PDB file of all heavy atoms in Angstrom:
ATOM      1  N   GLY A1180     116.105  68.753 119.392  1.00  0.00           N
ATOM      2  CA  GLY A1180     116.755  70.044 119.560  1.00  0.00           C
ATOM      3  C   GLY A1180     115.932  71.207 119.037  1.00  0.00           C
ATOM      4  O   GLY A1180     114.767  71.070 118.653  1.00  0.00           O
ATOM      5  N   PHE A1181     116.556  72.385 119.040  1.00  0.00           N
ATOM      6  CA  PHE A1181     115.911  73.602 118.564  1.00  0.00           C
ATOM      7  C   PHE A1181     116.231  73.826 117.088  1.00  0.00           C
ATOM      8  O   PHE A1181     117.173  73.239 116.538  1.00  0.00           O
ATOM      9  CB  PHE A1181     116.370  74.796 119.394  1.00  0.00           C
ATOM     10  CG  PHE A1181     116.049  74.664 120.856  1.00  0.00           C
ATOM     11  CD1 PHE A1181     117.055  74.499 121.802  1.00  0.00           C
ATOM     12  CD2 PHE A1181     114.736  74.694 121.295  1.00  0.00           C
ATOM     13  CE1 PHE A1181     116.764  74.369 123.145  1.00  0.00           C
ATOM     14  CE2 PHE A1181     114.427  74.568 122.644  1.00  0.00           C
ATOM     15  CZ  PHE A1181     115.445  74.405 123.569  1.00  0.00           C
ATOM     16  N   LYS A1182     115.460  74.687 116.459  1.00  0.00           N
ATOM     17  CA  LYS A1182     115.637  74.955 115.035  1.00  0.00           C
ATOM     18  C   LYS A1182     116.443  76.238 114.824  1.00  0.00           C
ATOM     19  O   LYS A1182     116.466  77.119 115.672  1.00  0.00           O
ATOM     20  CB  LYS A1182     114.269  75.080 114.359  1.00  0.00           C
ATOM     21  CG  LYS A1182     113.433  73.811 114.436  1.00  0.00           C
ATOM     22  CD  LYS A1182     112.084  74.025 113.786  1.00  0.00           C
ATOM     23  CE  LYS A1182     111.232  72.752 113.883  1.00  0.00           C
ATOM     24  NZ  LYS A1182     109.889  72.941 113.281  1.00  0.00           N
ATOM     25  N   ASP A1183     117.058  76.320 113.654  1.00  0.00           N
ATOM     26  CA  ASP A1183     117.887  77.484 113.336  1.00  0.00           C
ATOM     27  C   ASP A1183     117.101  78.788 113.435  1.00  0.00           C
ATOM     28  O   ASP A1183     117.577  79.780 113.982  1.00  0.00           O
ATOM     29  CB  ASP A1183     118.468  77.350 111.921  1.00  0.00           C
ATOM     30  CG  ASP A1183     119.525  76.258 111.834  1.00  0.00           C
ATOM     31  OD1 ASP A1183     120.396  76.214 112.723  1.00  0.00           O
ATOM     32  OD2 ASP A1183     119.471  75.448 110.892  1.00  0.00           O
ATOM     33  N   ASP A1184     115.887  78.786 112.870  1.00  0.00           N
ATOM     34  CA  ASP A1184     115.121  80.035 112.875  1.00  0.00           C
ATOM     35  C   ASP A1184     114.672  80.401 114.290  1.00  0.00           C
ATOM     36  O   ASP A1184     114.569  81.591 114.630  1.00  0.00           O
ATOM     37  CB  ASP A1184     113.913  79.946 111.937  1.00  0.00           C
ATOM     38  CG  ASP A1184     112.958  78.816 112.277  1.00  0.00           C
ATOM     39  OD1 ASP A1184     113.349  77.914 113.047  1.00  0.00           O
ATOM     40  OD2 ASP A1184     111.815  78.834 111.770  1.00  0.00           O
ATOM     41  N   GLU A1185     114.426  79.406 115.154  1.00  0.00           N
ATOM     42  CA  GLU A1185     114.068  79.689 116.536  1.00  0.00           C
ATOM     43  C   GLU A1185     115.226  80.387 117.262  1.00  0.00           C
ATOM     44  O   GLU A1185     115.028  81.360 117.997  1.00  0.00           O
ATOM     45  CB  GLU A1185     113.720  78.402 117.279  1.00  0.00           C
ATOM     46  CG  GLU A1185     112.415  77.764 116.884  1.00  0.00           C
ATOM     47  CD  GLU A1185     112.159  76.470 117.634  1.00  0.00           C
ATOM     48  OE1 GLU A1185     113.072  75.616 117.663  1.00  0.00           O
ATOM     49  OE2 GLU A1185     111.057  76.300 118.192  1.00  0.00           O
ATOM     50  N   VAL A1186     116.428  79.883 117.055  1.00  0.00           N
ATOM     51  CA  VAL A1186     117.602  80.457 117.713  1.00  0.00           C
ATOM     52  C   VAL A1186     117.858  81.872 117.206  1.00  0.00           C
ATOM     53  O   VAL A1186     118.139  82.782 117.986  1.00  0.00           O
ATOM     54  CB  VAL A1186     118.835  79.560 117.488  1.00  0.00           C
ATOM     55  CG1 VAL A1186     120.092  80.209 118.065  1.00  0.00           C
ATOM     56  CG2 VAL A1186     118.609  78.190 118.100  1.00  0.00           C
ATOM     57  N   LYS A1187     117.758  82.063 115.908  1.00  0.00           N
ATOM     58  CA  LYS A1187     117.958  83.394 115.331  1.00  0.00           C
ATOM     59  C   LYS A1187     116.943  84.388 115.877  1.00  0.00           C
ATOM     60  O   LYS A1187     117.302  85.504 116.277  1.00  0.00           O
ATOM     61  CB  LYS A1187     117.843  83.315 113.806  1.00  0.00           C
ATOM     62  CG  LYS A1187     118.042  84.660 113.116  1.00  0.00           C
ATOM     63  CD  LYS A1187     117.890  84.516 111.603  1.00  0.00           C
ATOM     64  CE  LYS A1187     118.033  85.878 110.914  1.00  0.00           C
ATOM     65  NZ  LYS A1187     117.890  85.748 109.432  1.00  0.00           N
ATOM     66  N   ASP A1188     115.682  83.985 115.928  1.00  0.00           N
ATOM     67  CA  ASP A1188     114.623  84.884 116.398  1.00  0.00           C
ATOM     68  C   ASP A1188     114.767  85.212 117.876  1.00  0.00           C
ATOM     69  O   ASP A1188     114.585  86.355 118.289  1.00  0.00           O
ATOM     70  CB  ASP A1188     113.249  84.262 116.138  1.00  0.00           C
ATOM     71  CG  ASP A1188     112.891  84.230 114.656  1.00  0.00           C
ATOM     72  OD1 ASP A1188     113.563  84.926 113.874  1.00  0.00           O
ATOM     73  OD2 ASP A1188     111.946  83.495 114.292  1.00  0.00           O
ATOM     74  N   VAL A1189     115.107  84.210 118.700  1.00  0.00           N
ATOM     75  CA  VAL A1189     115.163  84.458 120.135  1.00  0.00           C
ATOM     76  C   VAL A1189     116.333  85.365 120.487  1.00  0.00           C
ATOM     77  O   VAL A1189     116.256  86.166 121.418  1.00  0.00           O
ATOM     78  CB  VAL A1189     115.230  83.134 120.927  1.00  0.00           C
ATOM     79  CG1 VAL A1189     116.626  82.517 120.892  1.00  0.00           C
ATOM     80  CG2 VAL A1189     114.796  83.355 122.369  1.00  0.00           C
ATOM     81  N   LYS A1190     117.426  85.275 119.762  1.00  0.00           N
ATOM     82  CA  LYS A1190     118.544  86.190 119.992  1.00  0.00           C
ATOM     83  C   LYS A1190     118.101  87.625 119.785  1.00  0.00           C
ATOM     84  O   LYS A1190     118.382  88.513 120.601  1.00  0.00           O
ATOM     85  CB  LYS A1190     119.707  85.867 119.041  1.00  0.00           C
ATOM     86  CG  LYS A1190     120.519  84.647 119.386  1.00  0.00           C
ATOM     87  CD  LYS A1190     121.682  84.548 118.405  1.00  0.00           C
ATOM     88  CE  LYS A1190     122.530  83.328 118.651  1.00  0.00           C
ATOM     89  NZ  LYS A1190     123.678  83.274 117.707  1.00  0.00           N
ATOM     90  N   SER A1191     117.425  87.864 118.683  1.00  0.00           N
ATOM     91  CA  SER A1191     116.991  89.220 118.348  1.00  0.00           C
ATOM     92  C   SER A1191     115.963  89.747 119.332  1.00  0.00           C
ATOM     93  O   SER A1191     116.087  90.865 119.845  1.00  0.00           O
ATOM     94  CB  SER A1191     116.411  89.240 116.929  1.00  0.00           C
ATOM     95  OG  SER A1191     115.893  90.513 116.615  1.00  0.00           O
ATOM     96  N   THR A1192     114.941  88.935 119.625  1.00  0.00           N
ATOM     97  CA  THR A1192     113.873  89.416 120.506  1.00  0.00           C
ATOM     98  C   THR A1192     114.352  89.600 121.934  1.00  0.00           C
ATOM     99  O   THR A1192     113.930  90.536 122.624  1.00  0.00           O
ATOM    100  CB  THR A1192     112.680  88.450 120.487  1.00  0.00           C
ATOM    101  OG1 THR A1192     113.117  87.134 120.863  1.00  0.00           O
ATOM    102  CG2 THR A1192     112.051  88.390 119.105  1.00  0.00           C
ATOM    103  N   TYR A1193     115.258  88.721 122.394  1.00  0.00           N
ATOM    104  CA  TYR A1193     115.744  88.845 123.767  1.00  0.00           C
ATOM    105  C   TYR A1193     116.540  90.126 123.952  1.00  0.00           C
ATOM    106  O   TYR A1193     116.303  90.890 124.902  1.00  0.00           O
ATOM    107  CB  TYR A1193     116.611  87.649 124.150  1.00  0.00           C
ATOM    108  CG  TYR A1193     117.235  87.824 125.522  1.00  0.00           C
ATOM    109  CD1 TYR A1193     116.495  87.569 126.666  1.00  0.00           C
ATOM    110  CD2 TYR A1193     118.542  88.284 125.667  1.00  0.00           C
ATOM    111  CE1 TYR A1193     117.040  87.757 127.924  1.00  0.00           C
ATOM    112  CE2 TYR A1193     119.096  88.479 126.933  1.00  0.00           C
ATOM    113  CZ  TYR A1193     118.343  88.212 128.052  1.00  0.00           C
ATOM    114  OH  TYR A1193     118.869  88.413 129.299  1.00  0.00           O
ATOM    115  N   VAL A1194     117.487  90.374 123.076  1.00  0.00           N
ATOM    116  CA  VAL A1194     118.335  91.557 123.226  1.00  0.00           C
ATOM    117  C   VAL A1194     117.526  92.830 123.061  1.00  0.00           C
ATOM    118  O   VAL A1194     117.704  93.805 123.807  1.00  0.00           O
ATOM    119  CB  VAL A1194     119.502  91.508 122.215  1.00  0.00           C
ATOM    120  CG1 VAL A1194     120.291  92.814 122.247  1.00  0.00           C
ATOM    121  CG2 VAL A1194     120.422  90.337 122.535  1.00  0.00           C
ATOM    122  N   THR A1195     116.610  92.846 122.099  1.00  0.00           N
ATOM    123  CA  THR A1195     115.767  94.034 121.908  1.00  0.00           C
ATOM    124  C   THR A1195     114.941  94.319 123.152  1.00  0.00           C
ATOM    125  O   THR A1195     114.879  95.460 123.627  1.00  0.00           O
ATOM    126  CB  THR A1195     114.835  93.844 120.698  1.00  0.00           C
ATOM    127  OG1 THR A1195     115.618  93.632 119.523  1.00  0.00           O
ATOM    128  CG2 THR A1195     113.955  95.066 120.501  1.00  0.00           C
ATOM    129  N   ALA A1196     114.308  93.281 123.707  1.00  0.00           N
ATOM    130  CA  ALA A1196     113.490  93.454 124.904  1.00  0.00           C
ATOM    131  C   ALA A1196     114.341  93.863 126.096  1.00  0.00           C
ATOM    132  O   ALA A1196     113.937  94.705 126.912  1.00  0.00           O
ATOM    133  CB  ALA A1196     112.728  92.168 125.220  1.00  0.00           C
ATOM    134  N   TYR A1197     115.538  93.290 126.199  1.00  0.00           N
ATOM    135  CA  TYR A1197     116.429  93.590 127.322  1.00  0.00           C
ATOM    136  C   TYR A1197     116.779  95.075 127.353  1.00  0.00           C
ATOM    137  O   TYR A1197     116.648  95.741 128.382  1.00  0.00           O
ATOM    138  CB  TYR A1197     117.695  92.750 127.204  1.00  0.00           C
ATOM    139  CG  TYR A1197     118.731  93.033 128.276  1.00  0.00           C
ATOM    140  CD1 TYR A1197     118.638  92.421 129.514  1.00  0.00           C
ATOM    141  CD2 TYR A1197     119.785  93.904 128.044  1.00  0.00           C
ATOM    142  CE1 TYR A1197     119.575  92.668 130.512  1.00  0.00           C
ATOM    143  CE2 TYR A1197     120.730  94.161 129.027  1.00  0.00           C
ATOM    144  CZ  TYR A1197     120.615  93.540 130.263  1.00  0.00           C
ATOM    145  OH  TYR A1197     121.544  93.809 131.232  1.00  0.00           O
ATOM    146  N   PHE A1198     117.203  95.607 126.217  1.00  0.00           N
ATOM    147  CA  PHE A1198     117.605  97.003 126.211  1.00  0.00           C
ATOM    148  C   PHE A1198     116.410  97.952 126.209  1.00  0.00           C
ATOM    149  O   PHE A1198     116.505  99.078 126.686  1.00  0.00           O
ATOM    150  CB  PHE A1198     118.536  97.273 125.027  1.00  0.00           C
ATOM    151  CG  PHE A1198     119.914  96.720 125.236  1.00  0.00           C
ATOM    152  CD1 PHE A1198     120.350  95.608 124.555  1.00  0.00           C
ATOM    153  CD2 PHE A1198     120.772  97.298 126.158  1.00  0.00           C
ATOM    154  CE1 PHE A1198     121.622  95.088 124.766  1.00  0.00           C
ATOM    155  CE2 PHE A1198     122.033  96.790 126.386  1.00  0.00           C
ATOM    156  CZ  PHE A1198     122.467  95.680 125.687  1.00  0.00           C
ATOM    157  N   TYR A1199     115.286  97.489 125.705  1.00  0.00           N
ATOM    158  CA  TYR A1199     114.076  98.310 125.784  1.00  0.00           C
ATOM    159  C   TYR A1199     113.691  98.548 127.242  1.00  0.00           C
ATOM    160  O   TYR A1199     113.238  99.628 127.607  1.00  0.00           O
ATOM    161  CB  TYR A1199     112.934  97.613 125.041  1.00  0.00           C
ATOM    162  CG  TYR A1199     111.632  98.381 125.070  1.00  0.00           C
ATOM    163  CD1 TYR A1199     111.419  99.459 124.219  1.00  0.00           C
ATOM    164  CD2 TYR A1199     110.607  98.023 125.941  1.00  0.00           C
ATOM    165  CE1 TYR A1199     110.231 100.176 124.240  1.00  0.00           C
ATOM    166  CE2 TYR A1199     109.414  98.722 125.977  1.00  0.00           C
ATOM    167  CZ  TYR A1199     109.235  99.794 125.117  1.00  0.00           C
ATOM    168  OH  TYR A1199     108.056 100.507 125.163  1.00  0.00           O
ATOM    169  N   ARG A1200     113.906  97.541 128.076  1.00  0.00           N
ATOM    170  CA  ARG A1200     113.575  97.679 129.496  1.00  0.00           C
ATOM    171  C   ARG A1200     114.524  98.633 130.224  1.00  0.00           C
ATOM    172  O   ARG A1200     114.235  99.050 131.341  1.00  0.00           O
ATOM    173  CB  ARG A1200     113.615  96.308 130.188  1.00  0.00           C
ATOM    174  CG  ARG A1200     112.523  95.365 129.758  1.00  0.00           C
ATOM    175  CD  ARG A1200     112.421  94.180 130.717  1.00  0.00           C
ATOM    176  NE  ARG A1200     113.649  93.405 130.764  1.00  0.00           N
ATOM    177  CZ  ARG A1200     113.912  92.372 129.970  1.00  0.00           C
ATOM    178  NH1 ARG A1200     113.032  92.012 129.052  1.00  0.00           N
ATOM    179  NH2 ARG A1200     115.044  91.708 130.090  1.00  0.00           N
ATOM    180  N   LEU A1201     115.639  98.973 129.602  1.00  0.00           N
ATOM    181  CA  LEU A1201     116.629  99.828 130.259  1.00  0.00           C
ATOM    182  C   LEU A1201     116.471 101.294 129.894  1.00  0.00           C
ATOM    183  O   LEU A1201     117.440 102.053 129.915  1.00  0.00           O
ATOM    184  CB  LEU A1201     118.045  99.360 129.899  1.00  0.00           C
ATOM    185  CG  LEU A1201     118.423  97.951 130.336  1.00  0.00           C
ATOM    186  CD1 LEU A1201     119.891  97.684 130.050  1.00  0.00           C
ATOM    187  CD2 LEU A1201     118.147  97.742 131.818  1.00  0.00           C
ATOM    188  N   GLU A1202     115.265 101.710 129.569  1.00  0.00           N
ATOM    189  CA  GLU A1202     115.054 103.101 129.180  1.00  0.00           C
ATOM    190  C   GLU A1202     115.229 104.060 130.354  1.00  0.00           C
ATOM    191  O   GLU A1202     115.587 105.216 130.167  1.00  0.00           O
ATOM    192  CB  GLU A1202     113.653 103.276 128.574  1.00  0.00           C
ATOM    193  CG  GLU A1202     113.530 102.716 127.172  1.00  0.00           C
ATOM    194  CD  GLU A1202     112.211 103.090 126.528  1.00  0.00           C
ATOM    195  OE1 GLU A1202     111.243 103.323 127.286  1.00  0.00           O
ATOM    196  OE2 GLU A1202     112.138 103.152 125.299  1.00  0.00           O
ATOM    197  N   THR A1203     114.974 103.619 131.563  1.00  0.00           N
ATOM    198  CA  THR A1203     115.072 104.503 132.720  1.00  0.00           C
ATOM    199  C   THR A1203     116.396 104.291 133.452  1.00  0.00           C
ATOM    200  O   THR A1203     116.991 103.215 133.407  1.00  0.00           O
ATOM    201  CB  THR A1203     113.920 104.261 133.713  1.00  0.00           C
ATOM    202  OG1 THR A1203     114.062 102.953 134.290  1.00  0.00           O
ATOM    203  CG2 THR A1203     112.568 104.366 133.017  1.00  0.00           C
ATOM    204  N   ASN A1204     116.838 105.330 134.150  1.00  0.00           N
ATOM    205  CA  ASN A1204     118.054 105.216 134.953  1.00  0.00           C
ATOM    206  C   ASN A1204     117.901 104.161 136.047  1.00  0.00           C
ATOM    207  O   ASN A1204     118.847 103.453 136.383  1.00  0.00           O
ATOM    208  CB  ASN A1204     118.394 106.569 135.590  1.00  0.00           C
ATOM    209  CG  ASN A1204     118.827 107.610 134.575  1.00  0.00           C
ATOM    210  OD1 ASN A1204     118.514 107.492 133.395  1.00  0.00           O
ATOM    211  ND2 ASN A1204     119.537 108.628 135.023  1.00  0.00           N
ATOM    212  N   ALA A1205     116.699 104.075 136.610  1.00  0.00           N
ATOM    213  CA  ALA A1205     116.455 103.095 137.673  1.00  0.00           C
ATOM    214  C   ALA A1205     116.622 101.674 137.155  1.00  0.00           C
ATOM    215  O   ALA A1205     117.195 100.811 137.830  1.00  0.00           O
ATOM    216  CB  ALA A1205     115.060 103.289 138.262  1.00  0.00           C
ATOM    217  N   ALA A1206     116.124 101.402 135.948  1.00  0.00           N
ATOM    218  CA  ALA A1206     116.254 100.069 135.368  1.00  0.00           C
ATOM    219  C   ALA A1206     117.709  99.747 135.057  1.00  0.00           C
ATOM    220  O   ALA A1206     118.164  98.620 135.237  1.00  0.00           O
ATOM    221  CB  ALA A1206     115.409  99.973 134.097  1.00  0.00           C
ATOM    222  N   GLN A1207     118.454 100.747 134.610  1.00  0.00           N
ATOM    223  CA  GLN A1207     119.878 100.536 134.328  1.00  0.00           C
ATOM    224  C   GLN A1207     120.629 100.222 135.627  1.00  0.00           C
ATOM    225  O   GLN A1207     121.492  99.333 135.661  1.00  0.00           O
ATOM    226  CB  GLN A1207     120.465 101.766 133.664  1.00  0.00           C
ATOM    227  CG  GLN A1207     119.927 102.018 132.267  1.00  0.00           C
ATOM    228  CD  GLN A1207     120.183 103.426 131.795  1.00  0.00           C
ATOM    229  OE1 GLN A1207     121.221 104.016 132.095  1.00  0.00           O
ATOM    230  NE2 GLN A1207     119.245 103.992 131.053  1.00  0.00           N
ATOM    231  N   ALA A1208     120.306 100.941 136.698  1.00  0.00           N
ATOM    232  CA  ALA A1208     120.950 100.683 137.990  1.00  0.00           C
ATOM    233  C   ALA A1208     120.656  99.264 138.463  1.00  0.00           C
ATOM    234  O   ALA A1208     121.547  98.563 138.962  1.00  0.00           O
ATOM    235  CB  ALA A1208     120.487 101.707 139.022  1.00  0.00           C
ATOM    236  N   ALA A1209     119.415  98.840 138.315  1.00  0.00           N
ATOM    237  CA  ALA A1209     119.032  97.493 138.740  1.00  0.00           C
ATOM    238  C   ALA A1209     119.771  96.435 137.927  1.00  0.00           C
ATOM    239  O   ALA A1209     120.203  95.413 138.471  1.00  0.00           O
ATOM    240  CB  ALA A1209     117.523  97.306 138.600  1.00  0.00           C
ATOM    241  N   ALA A1210     119.935  96.661 136.622  1.00  0.00           N
ATOM    242  CA  ALA A1210     120.644  95.704 135.774  1.00  0.00           C
ATOM    243  C   ALA A1210     122.117  95.616 136.161  1.00  0.00           C
ATOM    244  O   ALA A1210     122.690  94.524 136.227  1.00  0.00           O
ATOM    245  CB  ALA A1210     120.510  96.108 134.302  1.00  0.00           C
ATOM    246  N   LEU A1211     122.739  96.748 136.420  1.00  0.00           N
ATOM    247  CA  LEU A1211     124.144  96.751 136.842  1.00  0.00           C
ATOM    248  C   LEU A1211     124.302  96.028 138.176  1.00  0.00           C
ATOM    249  O   LEU A1211     125.231  95.237 138.364  1.00  0.00           O
ATOM    250  CB  LEU A1211     124.647  98.192 136.955  1.00  0.00           C
ATOM    251  CG  LEU A1211     124.769  98.963 135.631  1.00  0.00           C
ATOM    252  CD1 LEU A1211     124.949 100.455 135.902  1.00  0.00           C
ATOM    253  CD2 LEU A1211     125.921  98.434 134.793  1.00  0.00           C
TER     254      LEU A1211
END
């Protein structure tokens, strides 16, 4: 299985990267 620290880190990095990509209106429209 996966490790606790791997799960903790991937949650943080995924969400941060996800919302970072939504800086433009076009990216927000595509996500919706």
